[in-house]
Amino acid sequence: MRIDVVTIFPEYLEPLNVSLVGKARARGQLDVRVHDLRQWTHDRHHTVDDTPYGGGPGMVMKPEPWGEALDAIEASGPQGTAPVMVVPTPSGRPFTQRLAVELSAKPWLVFTPARYEGIDRRVVDAYAERWEVHEVSIGDYVLAGGEAAVLVITEAVARLLPGVLGNAESHRDDSFAPGAMADLLEGPVYTKPPVWRDRDIPEVLLSGHHGKIARWRRDQAFRRTSALRPDLIERCDPAALDKHDRALLAELGWTQGPDGRFGRPGGPVEE
Ligand code: 6GU
């Protein structure tokens, strides 16, 4: 996969040299190219922003440098191929594991992280006529710019590329992996030593009984999801649950409506 990033803060993307993404690059599994947007300005001050039409606070990123940058990047690739454009913005659609999986299948991504109040709308509108474009938010909070979102999205996508994670099995149980553990949060994990600061580990994990261990892990996942992400219980597919799952959810205060969906009329139930 090739990834281009256009930014006014190339240094912000230095973490892409480290850890999983850095190693994938070193192995040639990922070709990351970070570009300084100001190289596509022509005035003495390398201006990338201007005041908003209609008034209001802050500044808006000018369309011309972005247009030149994106055209140059497109021209640097194979004839007749367009990248997928990923526009980080708090007003985008939520970034999810599903979108990470979808993006991981693309050969070429271009990220356009903005500062200030965002990029002149005509840029996205113009490229959306020729390229696949995704405007994406990484959560319900506001960052000063999209660069941190590029780091987040790139890491989520890169670890899904073939050969990037050591063990192909490692994806299957990911919290939020489509189809894995019925979209539950993962429960706790433990390693040696067996006692640490007077704390031991759940006995079942030492039992060697794989069936019981799997059941216990699933229970832990349900308890954690019920406590921290009740929205995931509400939208979980009842057909993915067995009798034991349903009994545990009932114990946690969940009831099933006529459609089989789970709801919790009384609100959270204390563990
Ligand atoms: Cl992608 N950008 C900015 N600036 N803020 C955000 C965001 C993105 N996602 C959540 N907050």
Side-chain angles (χ1 to χ4, degrees):
M1 172 181 280
R2 172 173 167 184
I3 294 179
D4 290 81
V5 186
V6 183
T7 172
I8 60 168
F9 292 121
E11 329 81 85
Y12 208 119
L13 284 303
E14 279 295 309
L16 297 178
N17 292 317
V18 176
S19 189
L20 175 126
V21 173
K23 282 178 195 146
R25 294 174 74 177
R27 289 196 208 104
Q29 293 162 328
L30 192 58
D31 172 12
V32 178
R33 307 182 192 184
V34 178
H35 313 270
D36 187 342
L37 177 67
R38 293 189 201 276
Q39 76 182 93
W40 291 287
T41 58
H42 303 286
D43 63 311
R44 132 194 341 268
H45 297 108
H46 305 286
T47 309
V48 293
D49 62 336
D50 205 336
T51 54
Y53 275 121
M59 299 290 273
V60 174
M61 297 191 91
K62 296 164 62 61
E64 304 96 317
W66 286 106
E68 289 192 30
L70 296 171
D71 287 351
I73 287 166
E74 179 177 41
S76 75
Q79 268 290 337
T81 63
V84 171
M85 182 172 169
V86 181
V87 183
T89 168
S91 57
R93 73 154 143 152
F95 183 62
T96 60
Q97 188 66 22
R98 182 173 300 280
L99 183 55
V101 168
E102 189 183 325
L103 294 178
S104 73
K106 309 292 184 185
W108 188 8
L109 305 178
V110 176
F111 288 99
T112 60
R115 291 272 146 178
Y116 317 110
E117 300 302 311
I119 306 173
D120 185 301
R121 183 68 217 173
R122 293 170 292 181
V123 175
V124 167
D125 291 346
Y127 285 87
E129 290 185 353
R130 310 170 18 208
W131 299 355
E132 181 178 331
V133 177
H134 298 275
E135 294 180 84
V136 175
S137 162
I138 62 164
D140 292 339
Y141 40 79
V142 180
L143 303 171
E147 284 78 7
V150 173
L151 297 177
V152 166
I153 296 166
T154 299
E155 184 161 317
V157 168
R159 65 185 286 283
L160 297 174
L161 298 176
V164 168
L165 271 197
N167 176 359
E169 287 284 281
S170 323
H171 299 311
R172 209 199 45 231
D173 289 345
D174 289 353
S175 290
F176 305 113
M181 280 287 247
D183 291 348
L184 300 173
L185 303 187
E186 281 177 48
V189 295
Y190 301 88
T191 187
K192 272 75 70 184
V195 181
W196 179 75
R197 298 190 182 178
D198 276 341
R199 293 163 185 271
D200 44 24
I201 65 171
E203 228 172 69
V204 63
L205 298 180
L206 298 170
S207 69
H209 194 306
H210 300 299
K212 280 189 183 160
I213 291 170
R215 185 82 256 172
W216 180 85
R217 287 190 169 143
R218 191 166 168 86
D219 284 3
Q220 292 296 310
F222 272 110
R223 288 181 184 280
R224 188 171 178 85
T225 306
S226 174
L228 302 183
R229 292 294 306 277
D231 58 306
L232 296 181
I233 302 290
E234 281 164 11
R235 73 167 124 100
C236 100
D237 175 10
L241 306 193
D242 64 20
K243 208 169 66 178
H244 184 109
D245 298 332
R246 289 194 297 273
L248 175 59
L249 287 180
E251 194 185 302
L252 294 172
W254 293 92
T255 58
Q256 285 185 274
D259 55 355
R261 295 273 164 192
F262 289 92
R264 195 160 50 173
V269 162
E270 294 300 321
E271 188 106 12

